[in-house]
Amino acid sequence: MRLYAGSSTNFIALNVNNQIAGLLETEFLKQFGYKAQINEVMSWRNSLFRLSDILERANLTDQGIMVEYKLPLSGKRIDVIICGKDKYQKRNAVIIELKQ
C-alpha cells in the first residue's frame, strides 16, 4: 500500500501546484480510516516540495516515485522510494527518509 505512486514528472507538477499534501491527506483517510496529523501533512508539504525541486534540478524526470509506502506485515512506512534505470539501463531504487 502507498499513498502516491506515479512518475517523477507528475510528482514534480503536483508539488509545483501545491497539490501533493492534499492528495496524500485524502488518500491517507481512505486507506487508514482516520485523518493524518497536521504535523505530518505539513511535513509532506515542506519536505516533498524540496525533494521535487531536487529531482527537477537534477533532471530526474523519468523515474517512478512512491510516497508513504507501507511495508508488508508491518505498520512501518517508507517516506519515499524512487525507482528508475541508470545510464547502463540497470534498474535501481533509492529509499529516502525525510527529515523536516
Side-chain angles (χ1 to χ4, degrees), residues 51 55 78-82 94-99:
L51 177 60
L55 293 171
I78 295 172
D79 291 340
V80 178
I81 301 173
I82 302 172
V94 175
I95 296 172
I96 298 174
E97 179 68 25
L98 298 170
K99 301 292 180 194

Side-chain angles (χ1 to χ4, degrees), residues 3-37:
L3 297 185
Y4 170 82
S7 70
S8 51
T9 301
N10 188 50
F11 176 77
I12 291 166
L14 286 169
N15 278 283
V16 167
N17 294 316
N18 201 24
Q19 297 174 321
I20 193 75
L23 184 143
L24 294 174
E25 194 173 10
T26 300
E27 200 58 35
F28 187 97
L29 180 59
K30 282 183 197 174
Q31 292 189 28
F32 293 101
Y34 59 93
K35 286 184 152 192
Q37 293 182 2

Side-chain angles (χ1 to χ4, degrees), residues 37-100:
Q37 293 182 2
I38 191 67
N39 60 336
E40 188 163 30
V41 175
M42 292 305 296
S43 178
W44 291 333
R45 183 171 285 121
N46 296 328
S47 299
L48 295 175
F49 179 79
R50 285 172 178 75
L51 177 60
S52 72
D53 186 52
I54 290 167
L55 293 171
E56 187 172 34
R57 288 175 189 233
N59 199 30
L60 297 172
T61 55
D62 193 26
Q63 283 63 44
I65 306 280
M66 285 187 282
V67 177
E68 294 295 341
Y69 176 78
K70 185 178 176 293
L71 295 171
L73 305 174
S74 169
K76 296 181 180 182
R77 292 179 280 154
I78 295 172
D79 291 340
V80 178
I81 301 173
I82 302 172
C83 304
K85 294 181 180 178
D86 63 19
K87 64 181 177 181
Y88 305 108
Q89 297 303 304
K90 183 179 174 189
R91 290 184 279 184
N92 289 282
V94 175
I95 296 172
I96 298 174
E97 179 68 25
L98 298 170
K99 301 292 180 194
Q100 187 154 318

